[in-house]
Amino acid sequence: MGAFFVYRFQRCIVEKLANNYQSVLVADSNEKRRHVLLEFLEVSRYRVTSDLSLPEDLFAHVESVKPDIIFIGSDFPDQEVMDFISSVTEHRPCPIVLFAQDENPRTIQVATQVGVSAYVSGDLSAKNVQTITEAAIARFCQLQNLKSELEKVQTNLSERKVIEQAKGFLINQKGYSEKEAHRALQKIAMNKMRRLAEVARDVVSSYKSKAIKKNNHKIESLTPEQRVLRCV
């Protein structure tokens, strides 16, 4: 019963995710495979935004029609195909399914690294394209969530670092204790209705700017001989 509930729950999640992905760009020079893909799309809830042959200026089409999903058919994906996938992943990420005949593990690895959500080799039927599409959407969403979480962690670490820097400046310049420095930053943040990290960045920037000005003033007050000796 528990396993069945988990399955139904996961199925609902997949269906909910899939509902957000409607338009499909198909790019394939293999007529037989493209026919299978289009046959599936005709009876599914997805709609075809572009039906292209390879090679074409795929990225221009992606920028123009902004598909939710991309189907690419390339029996033996070359560098041009991999570069296209990499560009889409970087500039307009979406689920990408690569249909191929190449079963070389290295090719599959490279395709996955550049952003392919599902790599499919061998014969196709309209029936299994549905499963492949759902799996690609689920994997894409999972990776996007992981990426988002990683970015949050990196942001939190960066913010913590700048807060500690700001506290350090206040401790050295104002003679505050660590708790007093933290409270001072919090008070400024509350009064200005800003995030603590933003206030901390301003404090760090202000003290660094003052330090640079002070250093420049010292250099200007030196005689030419002293300036030469300072550089030695």
Side-chain angles (χ1 to χ4, degrees):
M1 183 71 177
F4 177 74
F5 174 79
V6 170
Y7 168 78
R8 288 294 301 273
F9 178 71
Q10 290 174 336
R11 181 71 182 175
C12 287
I13 290 176
V14 169
E15 290 174 353
K16 185 176 180 181
L17 289 173
N19 287 335
N20 295 324
Y21 296 86
Q22 302 290 334
S23 61
V24 182
L25 181 150
V26 179
D28 195 343
S29 296
N30 184 312
E31 291 298 328
K32 181 180 177 181
R33 184 171 52 219
R34 187 163 62 173
H35 176 75
V36 172
L37 294 175
L38 294 175
E39 182 185 14
F40 156 71
L41 292 169
E42 282 176 6
V43 297
S44 72
R45 59 182 178 72
Y46 302 104
R47 58 184 174 83
V48 180
T49 58
S50 291
D51 177 14
L52 311 170
S53 294
L54 292 175
E56 289 199 28
D57 189 356
L58 290 177
F59 195 75
H61 282 282
V62 171
E63 287 287 279
S64 174
V65 303
K66 297 177 173 54
D68 297 321
I69 307 168
I70 298 175
F71 286 171
I72 302 176
S74 178
D75 289 341
F76 295 91
D78 56 16
Q79 190 60 46
E80 185 179 0
V81 171
M82 297 301 185
D83 287 344
F84 161 70
I85 295 170
S86 180
S87 295
V88 172
T89 301
E90 182 178 357
H91 300 289
R92 201 181 183 283
C94 66
I96 299 174
V97 183
L98 179 55
F99 299 93
Q101 295 299 323
D102 189 348
E103 297 182 350
N104 188 316
R106 177 59 183 163
T107 305
I108 298 171
Q109 182 182 22
V110 171
T112 304
Q113 288 173 345
V114 297
V116 167
S117 304
Y119 187 100
V120 185
S121 62
D123 295 331
L124 277 180
S125 68
K127 184 178 180 181
N128 62 20
V129 174
Q130 173 72 36
T131 304
I132 291 166
T133 304
E134 289 184 357
I137 292 171
R139 176 173 168 76
F140 172 78
C141 292
Q142 181 186 38
L143 291 177
Q144 288 299 108
N145 287 336
L146 288 173
K147 183 179 178 182
S148 178
E149 289 300 318
L150 179 60
E151 287 173 351
K152 285 180 183 178
V153 170
Q154 291 173 335
T155 298
N156 289 338
L157 289 173
S158 176
E159 290 183 349
R160 236 177 288 170
K161 183 178 178 180
V162 78
I163 290 170
E164 290 303 315
Q165 278 185 299
K167 285 162 59 176
F169 280 122
L170 292 175
I171 291 169
N172 292 330
Q173 301 296 323
K174 301 286 188 180
Y176 289 163
S177 67
E178 185 176 353
K179 286 185 179 180
E180 289 170 336
H182 192 78
R183 280 198 295 267
L185 291 173
Q186 285 179 321
K187 185 176 180 180
I188 297 170
M190 290 176 63
N191 290 340
K192 294 188 175 182
M193 297 184 68
R194 298 179 65 195
R195 296 177 65 247
L196 186 62
E198 292 174 354
V199 171
R201 285 193 189 94
D202 288 347
V203 170
V204 171
S205 178
S206 175
Y207 275 108
K208 284 184 176 179
S209 179
K210 288 177 182 178
I212 291 170
K213 288 179 181 179
K214 186 177 180 180
N215 188 51
N216 289 340
H217 179 71
K218 284 182 179 180
I219 293 173
E220 288 171 2
S221 64
L222 296 175
T223 65
E225 292 80 5
Q226 289 174 320
R227 292 184 189 181
V228 172
L229 289 173
R230 185 183 177 89
C231 294
V232 174

